[in-house]
Amino acid sequence: MKINHCSPLLLVVLLAVIAGCAAPPQSHEASVSDTLVTTKIALPASTAQIPIDTIFSEISWIGTKPTGQHFGVFKIKSGFIALDGDQVKGGSLEISIASMKVNNINDASPDHSKFIRHMMSEDFFDVAKFPMAQFEILSVEPYVAASDGNAPMVKGPNTVTDPTHSITGNLTLKEATKTVTFPAKITIANGRVEAMAKFNIDRTTWNMSYRAEGSIEDNFINNTVNLGFVLRTLIPAQ
């Protein structure tokens, strides 16, 4: 006799697989505040503005949906790190939204250009009005792991597992600016700064709500987006 119903165990396994596909990257959750921090730390006269090496620096991104994920990078147009001896005191980045690249779709595929056009549209970045994103570093403090058990150390390919500092700054995307704080690993050698971070943010906080979770569209896109950066400054002239 043919059985026309599924095993409960099979359903559990299938649901687990589907949930795994839909899950955003496991990473640190950035602290995001609507109350902007506008007071900068007074920089000593000895602070130098070291330009970002835009060739060897980039911003990475990962977006997910029930059927999979897309990932890629943005180029940094310009920026600097404020360095006082061996201490990072601030900095600023200008990120080219129009430079967006998706790495999991072949460049020659029609799907690549279709995806980029959609991301540049009003549904997402609205690049015609907002071609640049900005991040202004306001403070850099030694990293202190949470001790209350509410924010355990996150491990995996989409996070920095050995952060040294907490960075706070104002992130501007489209018409919205929010103050964000996240962990990063910073190293300094011979006057050159290298910094790495990966963290999650909610895209709807920056007015990108197309097919957001809980919307009426049939196929939602996860609100959580993983952002990362690899920053390297130019070697200071001797």
Side-chain angles (χ1 to χ4, degrees):
M1 180 176 67
K2 183 178 180 181
I3 299 176
N4 58 6
H5 64 275
C6 294
S7 159
L9 178 60
L10 178 59
L11 286 174
V12 171
V13 172
L14 288 175
L15 288 173
V17 171
I18 292 171
C21 292
Q26 190 174 24
S27 188
H28 296 282
E29 300 294 331
S31 171
V32 180
S33 174
D34 289 327
T35 304
L36 291 182
V37 176
T38 57
T39 303
K40 299 181 182 179
I41 297 175
L43 300 179
S46 56
T47 302
Q49 292 189 0
I50 311 299
I52 295 292
D53 187 335
T54 57
I55 296 177
F56 294 103
S57 301
E58 65 183 16
I59 307 295
S60 64
W61 59 268
I62 304 172
T64 58
K65 55 184 179 179
T67 55
Q69 66 175 2
H70 292 299
F71 55 88
V73 296
F74 295 101
K75 292 182 179 179
I76 297 173
K77 181 180 179 182
S78 61
F80 68 89
I81 296 295
L83 187 65
D84 181 29
D86 61 353
Q87 299 292 321
V88 173
K89 295 296 186 179
S92 181
L93 302 176
E94 190 174 27
I95 303 155
S96 171
I97 299 300
S99 73
M100 182 182 194
K101 181 176 176 59
V102 54
N103 290 338
N104 65 297
I105 304 177
N106 190 298
D107 289 358
S109 167
D111 290 338
H112 185 276
S113 56
K114 180 180 178 180
F115 179 86
I116 293 296
R117 284 197 304 272
H118 193 195
M119 295 301 294
M120 297 297 105
S121 74
E122 294 178 2
D123 287 340
F124 290 98
F125 288 101
D126 197 1
V127 72
K129 292 182 180 178
F130 310 103
M132 296 291 172
Q134 289 82 32
F135 183 61
E136 183 179 15
I137 300 172
L138 300 173
S139 68
V140 180
E141 302 291 341
Y143 178 75
V144 178
S147 59
D148 58 7
N150 293 322
M153 178 64 71
V154 181
K155 296 182 179 181
N158 299 311
T159 190
V160 175
T161 58
D162 51 351
T164 59
H165 294 80
S166 291
I167 296 178
T168 296
N170 289 337
L171 176 61
T172 301
L173 290 170
K174 297 180 76 171
E175 67 272 20
T177 301
K178 309 290 180 181
T179 297
V180 298
T181 301
F182 53 85
K185 181 177 181 179
I186 300 175
T187 59
I188 303 171
N190 300 320
R192 186 178 191 178
V193 180
E194 293 192 4
M196 297 179 60
K198 290 186 178 182
F199 53 92
N200 287 340
I201 60 171
D202 184 336
R203 64 185 172 96
T204 64
T205 304
W206 282 268
N207 301 324
M208 285 183 275
S209 300
Y210 177 78
R211 289 189 172 177
E213 297 168 37
S215 64
I216 61 173
E217 290 89 354
D218 291 335
N219 298 314
F220 72 85
I221 301 170
N222 284 321
N223 294 354
T224 299
V225 175
N226 185 256
L227 291 182
F229 63 70
V230 176
L231 299 181
R232 296 181 176 91
T233 60
L234 295 172
I235 298 175
Q238 300 298 321

PDB file of all heavy atoms in Angstrom, residues 143-167:
ATOM      1  N   TYR A 143      38.976  46.405  23.156  1.00  0.00           N
ATOM      2  CA  TYR A 143      37.831  45.496  23.159  1.00  0.00           C
ATOM      3  C   TYR A 143      37.711  44.795  24.507  1.00  0.00           C
ATOM      4  O   TYR A 143      38.695  44.268  25.031  1.00  0.00           O
ATOM      5  CB  TYR A 143      37.966  44.467  22.043  1.00  0.00           C
ATOM      6  CG  TYR A 143      36.831  43.454  22.020  1.00  0.00           C
ATOM      7  CD1 TYR A 143      35.585  43.804  21.543  1.00  0.00           C
ATOM      8  CD2 TYR A 143      37.038  42.154  22.489  1.00  0.00           C
ATOM      9  CE1 TYR A 143      34.544  42.889  21.527  1.00  0.00           C
ATOM     10  CE2 TYR A 143      35.997  41.229  22.472  1.00  0.00           C
ATOM     11  CZ  TYR A 143      34.752  41.598  21.989  1.00  0.00           C
ATOM     12  OH  TYR A 143      33.736  40.695  21.975  1.00  0.00           O
ATOM     13  N   VAL A 144      36.512  44.795  25.046  1.00  0.00           N
ATOM     14  CA  VAL A 144      36.224  44.093  26.292  1.00  0.00           C
ATOM     15  C   VAL A 144      35.080  43.130  26.020  1.00  0.00           C
ATOM     16  O   VAL A 144      33.970  43.560  25.669  1.00  0.00           O
ATOM     17  CB  VAL A 144      35.834  45.062  27.423  1.00  0.00           C
ATOM     18  CG1 VAL A 144      35.506  44.278  28.683  1.00  0.00           C
ATOM     19  CG2 VAL A 144      36.957  46.059  27.681  1.00  0.00           C
ATOM     20  N   ALA A 145      35.329  41.819  26.146  1.00  0.00           N
ATOM     21  CA  ALA A 145      34.301  40.822  25.881  1.00  0.00           C
ATOM     22  C   ALA A 145      33.183  40.933  26.902  1.00  0.00           C
ATOM     23  O   ALA A 145      33.415  41.280  28.069  1.00  0.00           O
ATOM     24  CB  ALA A 145      34.902  39.416  25.911  1.00  0.00           C
ATOM     25  N   ALA A 146      31.965  40.654  26.470  1.00  0.00           N
ATOM     26  CA  ALA A 146      30.815  40.704  27.371  1.00  0.00           C
ATOM     27  C   ALA A 146      30.980  39.677  28.482  1.00  0.00           C
ATOM     28  O   ALA A 146      31.403  38.552  28.248  1.00  0.00           O
ATOM     29  CB  ALA A 146      29.532  40.440  26.592  1.00  0.00           C
ATOM     30  N   SER A 147      30.655  40.064  29.692  1.00  0.00           N
ATOM     31  CA  SER A 147      30.829  39.172  30.836  1.00  0.00           C
ATOM     32  C   SER A 147      29.508  38.689  31.417  1.00  0.00           C
ATOM     33  O   SER A 147      29.490  37.904  32.350  1.00  0.00           O
ATOM     34  CB  SER A 147      31.621  39.888  31.936  1.00  0.00           C
ATOM     35  OG  SER A 147      30.944  41.059  32.336  1.00  0.00           O
ATOM     36  N   ASP A 148      28.376  39.156  30.851  1.00  0.00           N
ATOM     37  CA  ASP A 148      27.087  38.793  31.427  1.00  0.00           C
ATOM     38  C   ASP A 148      26.449  37.597  30.739  1.00  0.00           C
ATOM     39  O   ASP A 148      25.333  37.211  31.069  1.00  0.00           O
ATOM     40  CB  ASP A 148      26.124  39.986  31.369  1.00  0.00           C
ATOM     41  CG  ASP A 148      25.914  40.503  29.948  1.00  0.00           C
ATOM     42  OD1 ASP A 148      26.409  39.856  28.999  1.00  0.00           O
ATOM     43  OD2 ASP A 148      25.239  41.533  29.791  1.00  0.00           O
ATOM     44  N   GLY A 149      27.148  37.036  29.741  1.00  0.00           N
ATOM     45  CA  GLY A 149      26.629  35.852  29.067  1.00  0.00           C
ATOM     46  C   GLY A 149      25.622  36.144  27.980  1.00  0.00           C
ATOM     47  O   GLY A 149      25.161  35.230  27.289  1.00  0.00           O
ATOM     48  N   ASN A 150      25.265  37.411  27.783  1.00  0.00           N
ATOM     49  CA  ASN A 150      24.267  37.738  26.767  1.00  0.00           C
ATOM     50  C   ASN A 150      24.863  37.898  25.380  1.00  0.00           C
ATOM     51  O   ASN A 150      24.141  37.890  24.396  1.00  0.00           O
ATOM     52  CB  ASN A 150      23.532  39.031  27.146  1.00  0.00           C
ATOM     53  CG  ASN A 150      22.679  38.850  28.376  1.00  0.00           C
ATOM     54  OD1 ASN A 150      22.072  37.799  28.549  1.00  0.00           O
ATOM     55  ND2 ASN A 150      22.641  39.857  29.235  1.00  0.00           N
ATOM     56  N   ALA A 151      26.159  38.050  25.292  1.00  0.00           N
ATOM     57  CA  ALA A 151      26.798  38.242  23.989  1.00  0.00           C
ATOM     58  C   ALA A 151      28.060  37.393  23.927  1.00  0.00           C
ATOM     59  O   ALA A 151      29.174  37.904  24.000  1.00  0.00           O
ATOM     60  CB  ALA A 151      27.127  39.720  23.762  1.00  0.00           C
ATOM     61  N   PRO A 152      27.913  36.070  23.820  1.00  0.00           N
ATOM     62  CA  PRO A 152      29.083  35.200  23.788  1.00  0.00           C
ATOM     63  C   PRO A 152      29.923  35.426  22.533  1.00  0.00           C
ATOM     64  O   PRO A 152      29.441  35.940  21.533  1.00  0.00           O
ATOM     65  CB  PRO A 152      28.464  33.793  23.790  1.00  0.00           C
ATOM     66  CG  PRO A 152      27.106  33.987  23.204  1.00  0.00           C
ATOM     67  CD  PRO A 152      26.655  35.330  23.666  1.00  0.00           C
ATOM     68  N   MET A 153      31.180  35.042  22.617  1.00  0.00           N
ATOM     69  CA  MET A 153      32.070  35.175  21.476  1.00  0.00           C
ATOM     70  C   MET A 153      31.537  34.360  20.305  1.00  0.00           C
ATOM     71  O   MET A 153      31.198  33.195  20.449  1.00  0.00           O
ATOM     72  CB  MET A 153      33.477  34.694  21.841  1.00  0.00           C
ATOM     73  CG  MET A 153      34.472  34.752  20.677  1.00  0.00           C
ATOM     74  SD  MET A 153      34.780  36.433  20.119  1.00  0.00           S
ATOM     75  CE  MET A 153      35.738  37.051  21.489  1.00  0.00           C
ATOM     76  N   VAL A 154      31.437  34.989  19.143  1.00  0.00           N
ATOM     77  CA  VAL A 154      30.959  34.330  17.937  1.00  0.00           C
ATOM     78  C   VAL A 154      32.162  33.864  17.141  1.00  0.00           C
ATOM     79  O   VAL A 154      33.140  34.588  16.990  1.00  0.00           O
ATOM     80  CB  VAL A 154      30.101  35.294  17.091  1.00  0.00           C
ATOM     81  CG1 VAL A 154      29.590  34.594  15.838  1.00  0.00           C
ATOM     82  CG2 VAL A 154      28.946  35.827  17.911  1.00  0.00           C
ATOM     83  N   LYS A 155      32.088  32.639  16.624  1.00  0.00           N
ATOM     84  CA  LYS A 155      33.179  32.101  15.836  1.00  0.00           C
ATOM     85  C   LYS A 155      32.656  31.663  14.474  1.00  0.00           C
ATOM     86  O   LYS A 155      31.508  31.277  14.336  1.00  0.00           O
ATOM     87  CB  LYS A 155      33.836  30.924  16.556  1.00  0.00           C
ATOM     88  CG  LYS A 155      34.504  31.291  17.874  1.00  0.00           C
ATOM     89  CD  LYS A 155      35.177  30.085  18.511  1.00  0.00           C
ATOM     90  CE  LYS A 155      35.854  30.478  19.815  1.00  0.00           C
ATOM     91  NZ  LYS A 155      36.530  29.323  20.453  1.00  0.00           N
ATOM     92  N   GLY A 156      33.515  31.734  13.479  1.00  0.00           N
ATOM     93  CA  GLY A 156      33.118  31.302  12.155  1.00  0.00           C
ATOM     94  C   GLY A 156      33.737  32.179  11.090  1.00  0.00           C
ATOM     95  O   GLY A 156      34.407  33.182  11.386  1.00  0.00           O
ATOM     96  N   PRO A 157      33.520  31.835   9.800  1.00  0.00           N
ATOM     97  CA  PRO A 157      34.165  32.557   8.702  1.00  0.00           C
ATOM     98  C   PRO A 157      33.648  33.980   8.512  1.00  0.00           C
ATOM     99  O   PRO A 157      34.286  34.766   7.824  1.00  0.00           O
ATOM    100  CB  PRO A 157      33.837  31.693   7.487  1.00  0.00           C
ATOM    101  CG  PRO A 157      32.579  30.980   7.854  1.00  0.00           C
ATOM    102  CD  PRO A 157      32.691  30.719   9.330  1.00  0.00           C
ATOM    103  N   ASN A 158      32.510  34.309   9.114  1.00  0.00           N
ATOM    104  CA  ASN A 158      31.923  35.633   8.908  1.00  0.00           C
ATOM    105  C   ASN A 158      32.071  36.539  10.120  1.00  0.00           C
ATOM    106  O   ASN A 158      31.242  37.409  10.358  1.00  0.00           O
ATOM    107  CB  ASN A 158      30.444  35.485   8.540  1.00  0.00           C
ATOM    108  CG  ASN A 158      30.261  34.714   7.260  1.00  0.00           C
ATOM    109  OD1 ASN A 158      30.900  35.003   6.254  1.00  0.00           O
ATOM    110  ND2 ASN A 158      29.406  33.705   7.289  1.00  0.00           N
ATOM    111  N   THR A 159      33.125  36.311  10.882  1.00  0.00           N
ATOM    112  CA  THR A 159      33.381  37.150  12.038  1.00  0.00           C
ATOM    113  C   THR A 159      34.875  37.218  12.310  1.00  0.00           C
ATOM    114  O   THR A 159      35.655  36.427  11.778  1.00  0.00           O
ATOM    115  CB  THR A 159      32.647  36.597  13.275  1.00  0.00           C
ATOM    116  OG1 THR A 159      32.721  37.553  14.325  1.00  0.00           O
ATOM    117  CG2 THR A 159      33.261  35.300  13.742  1.00  0.00           C
ATOM    118  N   VAL A 160      35.280  38.195  13.092  1.00  0.00           N
ATOM    119  CA  VAL A 160      36.659  38.289  13.577  1.00  0.00           C
ATOM    120  C   VAL A 160      36.672  37.688  14.974  1.00  0.00           C
ATOM    121  O   VAL A 160      36.024  38.210  15.884  1.00  0.00           O
ATOM    122  CB  VAL A 160      37.134  39.754  13.601  1.00  0.00           C
ATOM    123  CG1 VAL A 160      38.522  39.851  14.233  1.00  0.00           C
ATOM    124  CG2 VAL A 160      37.161  40.324  12.201  1.00  0.00           C
ATOM    125  N   THR A 161      37.365  36.573  15.126  1.00  0.00           N
ATOM    126  CA  THR A 161      37.291  35.825  16.389  1.00  0.00           C
ATOM    127  C   THR A 161      38.233  36.352  17.464  1.00  0.00           C
ATOM    128  O   THR A 161      38.126  35.969  18.623  1.00  0.00           O
ATOM    129  CB  THR A 161      37.592  34.336  16.141  1.00  0.00           C
ATOM    130  OG1 THR A 161      38.895  34.218  15.539  1.00  0.00           O
ATOM    131  CG2 THR A 161      36.555  33.717  15.219  1.00  0.00           C
ATOM    132  N   ASP A 162      39.164  37.209  17.092  1.00  0.00           N
ATOM    133  CA  ASP A 162      40.119  37.725  18.081  1.00  0.00           C
ATOM    134  C   ASP A 162      40.211  39.247  18.006  1.00  0.00           C
ATOM    135  O   ASP A 162      41.271  39.816  17.743  1.00  0.00           O
ATOM    136  CB  ASP A 162      41.501  37.092  17.879  1.00  0.00           C
ATOM    137  CG  ASP A 162      41.977  37.198  16.437  1.00  0.00           C
ATOM    138  OD1 ASP A 162      41.174  37.613  15.566  1.00  0.00           O
ATOM    139  OD2 ASP A 162      43.155  36.875  16.190  1.00  0.00           O
ATOM    140  N   PRO A 163      39.082  39.945  18.238  1.00  0.00           N
ATOM    141  CA  PRO A 163      39.094  41.410  18.149  1.00  0.00           C
ATOM    142  C   PRO A 163      39.981  42.039  19.206  1.00  0.00           C
ATOM    143  O   PRO A 163      40.143  41.503  20.301  1.00  0.00           O
ATOM    144  CB  PRO A 163      37.625  41.784  18.347  1.00  0.00           C
ATOM    145  CG  PRO A 163      37.041  40.646  19.113  1.00  0.00           C
ATOM    146  CD  PRO A 163      37.765  39.428  18.638  1.00  0.00           C
ATOM    147  N   THR A 164      40.544  43.172  18.855  1.00  0.00           N
ATOM    148  CA  THR A 164      41.395  43.923  19.783  1.00  0.00           C
ATOM    149  C   THR A 164      40.762  45.232  20.216  1.00  0.00           C
ATOM    150  O   THR A 164      41.133  45.778  21.253  1.00  0.00           O
ATOM    151  CB  THR A 164      42.747  44.237  19.119  1.00  0.00           C
ATOM    152  OG1 THR A 164      42.513  45.009  17.925  1.00  0.00           O
ATOM    153  CG2 THR A 164      43.487  42.957  18.762  1.00  0.00           C
ATOM    154  N   HIS A 165      39.818  45.748  19.412  1.00  0.00           N
ATOM    155  CA  HIS A 165      39.234  47.055  19.691  1.00  0.00           C
ATOM    156  C   HIS A 165      37.735  47.069  19.378  1.00  0.00           C
ATOM    157  O   HIS A 165      37.249  46.239  18.603  1.00  0.00           O
ATOM    158  CB  HIS A 165      39.916  48.149  18.856  1.00  0.00           C
ATOM    159  CG  HIS A 165      41.346  48.381  19.206  1.00  0.00           C
ATOM    160  ND1 HIS A 165      42.359  47.560  18.754  1.00  0.00           N
ATOM    161  CD2 HIS A 165      41.938  49.336  19.983  1.00  0.00           C
ATOM    162  CE1 HIS A 165      43.532  47.997  19.231  1.00  0.00           C
ATOM    163  NE2 HIS A 165      43.296  49.065  19.975  1.00  0.00           N
ATOM    164  N   SER A 166      37.044  48.025  19.971  1.00  0.00           N
ATOM    165  CA  SER A 166      35.658  48.342  19.608  1.00  0.00           C
ATOM    166  C   SER A 166      35.659  49.687  18.890  1.00  0.00           C
ATOM    167  O   SER A 166      36.205  50.674  19.409  1.00  0.00           O
ATOM    168  CB  SER A 166      34.767  48.420  20.853  1.00  0.00           C
ATOM    169  OG  SER A 166      34.589  47.149  21.429  1.00  0.00           O
ATOM    170  N   ILE A 167      35.074  49.702  17.720  1.00  0.00           N
ATOM    171  CA  ILE A 167      35.019  50.917  16.905  1.00  0.00           C
ATOM    172  C   ILE A 167      33.607  51.477  16.940  1.00  0.00           C
ATOM    173  O   ILE A 167      32.635  50.745  16.749  1.00  0.00           O
ATOM    174  CB  ILE A 167      35.440  50.624  15.455  1.00  0.00           C
ATOM    175  CG1 ILE A 167      36.907  50.190  15.410  1.00  0.00           C
ATOM    176  CG2 ILE A 167      35.212  51.852  14.569  1.00  0.00           C
ATOM    177  CD1 ILE A 167      37.393  49.827  14.016  1.00  0.00           C
TER     178      ILE A 167
END
